[in-house]
């Protein structure tokens, strides 16, 4: 009697629960399987399909590889070589339709693209993995913006022990790129894993990380606001019109009130990727008393937005004022293949010409999350020294 | 120049970012479309498919409906009738393979089943929707269990204003069913929306809600622990062996230390669905000084677990002791079609025979999230009066 509770539950649910009618209790097939030699086998159970392919960021640009039918109903593909340690994403294409792997419940969203995830463990991915270390908390928190006339959602990382300590902490404000939202750095960027691991290794100071929504027209990530389940778009009216930047001090005020922060410039950093790098540059120069550490990751490094705003007026002069107050770190990172590479060199030329000191990191690759996770992992240990 | 930043970003990302190579910026087709009359149209772009079907909880048990090809590449199905206000889930079946709708980024996971979501607005679903009201925070928080020898993850809802108030709050401990985890009540159960809305309407007291992981062998939801991206299973060794129940006071101790709680019996409730109802019954009778409000939602209402444990010894006698201390509310809800219906009637008979007072709610339907969201919506307004 006792031993059948679990079996009975599963069977009865399948038989009786109308909502559970379409539930699976096991995946159709084992996929993806990371083999001992770090090759990866993908499988899809699809007896009637005529063609199945895999696409993903472990392949070359635009590459699709064909899966082979290895039994009456299972298609399979194994990578010819071991994959390097990294967090990877992929999808299947069945008879021309791109789908998620039905056997893999781990997914991420980037704008409207849903991808499956898998991890190759190793030195290069150890910071992205949930390790057996003390974990911080990750919270979805709402604040009110008077300037944007809206309640708005933040993702807040507090380091392990925050809830039961009385300590005050420095704060990193971490900004997403175009098409992103307050969820992006934790889901695609693995920010909470990177912080947990760097702090546990003694390589970073325990800190609070605040991830904002940089789309001034949105209250929250798609599906998380009262507008309901609206399909994401990057075509938003207020991304680089100065309004997000202008309203940013309200976020700092809220965080300093709601959390045990060290509320001074020496204990505040701001960094962002792509559009978030643009925002970080603009906000830090507009409010030079707020941030001592600035990180531009693959930044859209221009001095003007899409719409005119007083925020973008006299940008060069304001940056000189910012540097006259000697920020502790102005950190610029860009990939050699990034479409924003030239723009970043132009910013560097301006800084060099004016003898404004910064740190420059040039990586391989382009405008990709692998680089942004890596830049965050390099930047965070430099903060609050 | 200014006006092309967004377009340039999108185009250049597509051309240059290797990780972004497979990104979409728009969904293939508009799906699902909730029409003005609350019928719903589903669409899939699939030129080469030979058969496309829809399954979902808006259909009868086990029903699949065929989509029709309405153009050279788009399949379509519109429900013949308006759907009642509710949160619904569905999937497509393409040439026999069950897939998510590639045009809908809103998904939920139940064990290994990924489903797409859509909402029909109206009176019956208004509590499940993100409304334009003050929002509480939802946090993923880790505590240490000495008894289970592990760091373990909790989901904690704190009501709107918690961060900036000095107020103390009562606490509802809310437990998931078999196959679930600490994410289930917020993702499938819409607990944070229900609490936000009931509190905003003045129907519930502001309270903290703590959602535990009731699988004593797991530290956290699948993919959130150092075991990595492991496929979920319900075949776990320590679900109803007494160990979760025995260790439960550690959670209460942590929450009372980490949050501004009213740390007394009159301000504590415990409720759960299915296995979580079993846990709530066992924990509340084992520690009768802890909880004044008890909710059993479609509970596995038996007096013994799968494995023997001293927790399950003398269950009847311990329940009598619990009731001798006059809990403020003992609330039992079950659906007429639930496979646990008979078990709940047996529990009622025991309570009736012993003149132990409780509240009983019988609903339509079975062992489904629609009922559990509804039970939570009924239970929460009764607490901490």
């Amino acid at each position: 009697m006792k031993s059948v509770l679990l079996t009975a539950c599963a069977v009865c649910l399948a038989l009786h629960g109308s909502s559970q009618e379409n539930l699976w209790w096991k995946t159709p097939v084992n996929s993806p399987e990371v083999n001992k030699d770090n090759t990866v086998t993908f499988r899809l159970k699809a007896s009637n399909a005529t063609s199945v392919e895999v696409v993903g960021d472990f392949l070359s640009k635009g590459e699709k590889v064909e899966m082979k039918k290895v039994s009456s109903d299972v298609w399979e593909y194994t990578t010819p070589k071991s994959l390097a340690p990294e967090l990877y994403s992929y999808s299947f294409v069945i008879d021309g339709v791109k789908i998620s792997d039905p056997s893999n419940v781990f997914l991420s969203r980037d704008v409207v693209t849903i991808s499956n995830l898998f991890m190759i463990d190793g030195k290069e991915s150890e910071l992205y993995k949930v390790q057996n270390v003390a974990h911080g908390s990750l919270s979805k928190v709402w604040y009110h913006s008077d300037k944007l006339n809206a309640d708005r959602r933040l993702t807040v990382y507090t380091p392990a022990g925050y809830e039961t300590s009385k300590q005050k902490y420095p704060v990193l404000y971490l900004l997403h790129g175009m098409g992103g939202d307050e969820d992006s750095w934790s889901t695609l960027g693995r920010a909470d894993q990177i912080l947990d691991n760097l702090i546990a290794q003694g390589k970073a100071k325990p800190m609070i990380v605040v991830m904002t929504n940089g789309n001034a027209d949105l209250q929250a990530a798609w599906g998380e606001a009262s507008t309901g389940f609206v399909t994401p778009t990057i075509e938003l009216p207020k991304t680089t019109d100065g309004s997000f930047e202008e309203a940013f001090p309200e976020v700092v005020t809220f965080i300093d009130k709601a959390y045990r922060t060290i509320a001074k410039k020496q204990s505040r950093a701001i960094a962002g990727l792509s559009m978030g790098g643009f925002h970080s540059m603009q906000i830090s120069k507009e409010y030079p008393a707020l941030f001592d550490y600035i990180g531009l990751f693959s930044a859209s490094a221009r001095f003007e937005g899409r719409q005119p705003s007083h925020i973008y007026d006299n940008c060069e002069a304001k940056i000189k004022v910012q540097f006259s107050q000697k920020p502790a770190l102005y950190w610029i990172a860009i990939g050699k293949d990034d479409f924003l590479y030239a723009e970043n060199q132009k910013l560097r030329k301006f800084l060099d010409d004016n003898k404004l000191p910064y740190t420059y990191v040039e990586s391989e690759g382009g405008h990709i999350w692998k680089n942004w996770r890596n830049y965050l992992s390099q930047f965070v240990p430099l903060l609050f020294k």
Side-chain angles (χ1 to χ4, degrees), chain A:
Chain A
M1 189 67 182
K2 290 173 193 170
S3 63
V4 299
L5 176 60
L6 181 140
T7 313
C9 269
V11 171
C12 291
L13 279 172
L15 294 174
H16 293 268
S18 68
S19 187
Q20 270 62 19
E21 188 67 24
N22 300 309
L23 280 193
W24 285 338
W25 300 98
K26 285 184 191 295
T27 57
V29 67
N30 183 13
S31 178
E33 184 175 8
V34 178
N35 304 303
K36 283 187 181 154
D37 59 356
N38 282 351
T39 60
V40 178
T41 300
F42 301 90
R43 294 185 185 92
L44 178 70
K45 198 166 174 179
S47 52
N48 300 330
T50 55
S51 133
V52 184
E53 297 158 302
V54 190
V55 294
D57 57 8
F58 63 95
L59 297 167
S60 306
K61 285 185 193 177
E63 194 182 356
K64 286 183 189 179
V65 290
E66 285 187 8
M67 295 174 77
K68 301 275 180 230
K69 212 167 181 180
V70 294
S71 72
S72 64
D73 58 358
V74 175
W75 298 71
E76 198 176 280
Y77 171 77
T78 299
T79 61
K81 292 183 188 168
S82 306
L83 299 185
E86 184 54 66
L87 176 68
Y88 293 99
S89 63
Y90 72 99
S91 299
F92 291 155
V93 181
I94 175 169
D95 293 338
V97 180
K98 195 166 135 196
I99 64 166
S100 299
D101 180 350
S103 294
N104 183 352
V105 302
F106 301 106
L107 299 159
S108 69
R109 178 182 67 79
D110 200 348
V111 193
V112 298
T113 305
I114 302 286
S115 302
N116 286 107
L117 300 173
F118 68 95
M119 179 89 86
I120 303 288
D121 289 347
K123 190 161 170 40
E124 297 89 335
S125 63
E126 67 176 4
L127 291 179
Y128 311 157
K129 216 191 146 190
V130 180
Q131 303 284 0
N132 193 16
V133 299
H135 301 298
S137 299
L138 196 75
S139 302
K140 305 297 175 180
V141 179
W142 293 75
Y143 75 105
H144 183 76
S145 169
D146 285 332
K147 287 195 189 258
L148 299 174
N149 191 28
D151 287 349
R152 307 191 77 243
R153 194 164 170 263
L154 305 165
T155 300
V156 179
Y157 169 89
T158 48
Y162 176 89
E163 286 84 1
T164 50
S165 90
K166 293 199 189 322
Q167 204 181 324
K168 292 186 172 189
Y169 298 88
V171 185
L172 163 62
Y173 292 83
L174 190 57
L175 280 48
H176 63 81
M178 198 163 273
D181 53 51
E182 75 276 16
D183 290 345
S184 305
W185 265 111
S186 60
T187 55
L188 297 158
R190 308 286 287 179
D192 35 332
Q193 284 77 35
I194 291 170
L195 267 290
D196 276 356
N197 291 324
L198 287 172
I199 293 169
Q201 293 174 13
K203 290 180 182 161
K205 301 239 164 158
M207 66 184 77
I208 296 168
V209 183
V210 177
M211 293 158 266
T212 46
N213 188 317
N215 309 295
D217 201 47
L218 297 181
Q219 290 184 272
W222 304 98
E224 302 290 345
S226 58
T227 40
F229 292 145
V230 175
T231 302
T233 176
I234 58 163
E235 291 173 14
L236 291 164
K238 293 167 72 181
T239 51
T240 55
D241 69 339
S243 53
F244 175 69
E245 298 95 314
E246 185 170 6
F248 203 85
E250 294 179 330
V251 180
V252 178
T253 301
F254 170 76
I255 292 295
D256 282 340
K257 187 174 177 196
Y259 292 86
R260 294 193 314 278
T261 65
I262 307 171
K264 56 184 186 184
K265 178 177 176 176
Q266 293 89 320
S267 298
R268 277 196 212 101
I270 187 165
L273 73 91
S274 197
M275 178 180 80
F278 172 83
H279 284 154
S280 297
M281 178 178 68
Q282 295 293 346
I283 292 165
S284 68
K285 73 102 184 66
E286 197 70 15
Y287 307 106
L290 281 186
F291 303 99
D292 217 7
Y293 298 82
I294 297 97
L296 312 188
F297 306 167
S298 308
S300 174
R302 63 191 70 184
F303 289 169
E304 50 187 14
R306 293 173 66 207
Q307 286 95 35
S309 161
H310 72 91
I311 293 289
Y312 309 131
D313 291 344
N314 308 313
C315 197
E316 297 193 6
K318 289 179 191 165
I319 289 179
K320 288 177 194 169
V321 170
Q322 176 185 16
F323 275 83
S324 75
Q325 298 180 23
K326 299 193 187 307
L329 180 67
Y330 204 94
W331 196 86
I332 298 171
I334 186 85
K336 286 174 186 165
D337 302 330
D338 199 302
F339 74 100
L340 295 171
Y341 185 83
E343 216 164 272
N344 276 261
Q345 303 318 310
K346 203 173 149 196
L347 172 64
R348 290 182 64 202
K349 186 166 185 314
F350 165 76
L351 296 172
D352 290 337
D353 288 350
N354 290 281
K355 300 194 165 48
L356 307 178
Y358 62 93
T359 303
Y360 178 64
V361 171
E362 190 168 292
S363 72
E364 299 300 315
H367 211 70
I368 56 177
W369 273 105
K370 176 184 169 182
N371 275 349
W372 302 326
R373 290 190 290 263
N374 190 268
Y375 299 159
L376 182 67
S377 306
Q378 291 183 57
F379 181 68
V380 162
L382 308 175
L383 302 179
F384 315 126
K385 295 292 182 188

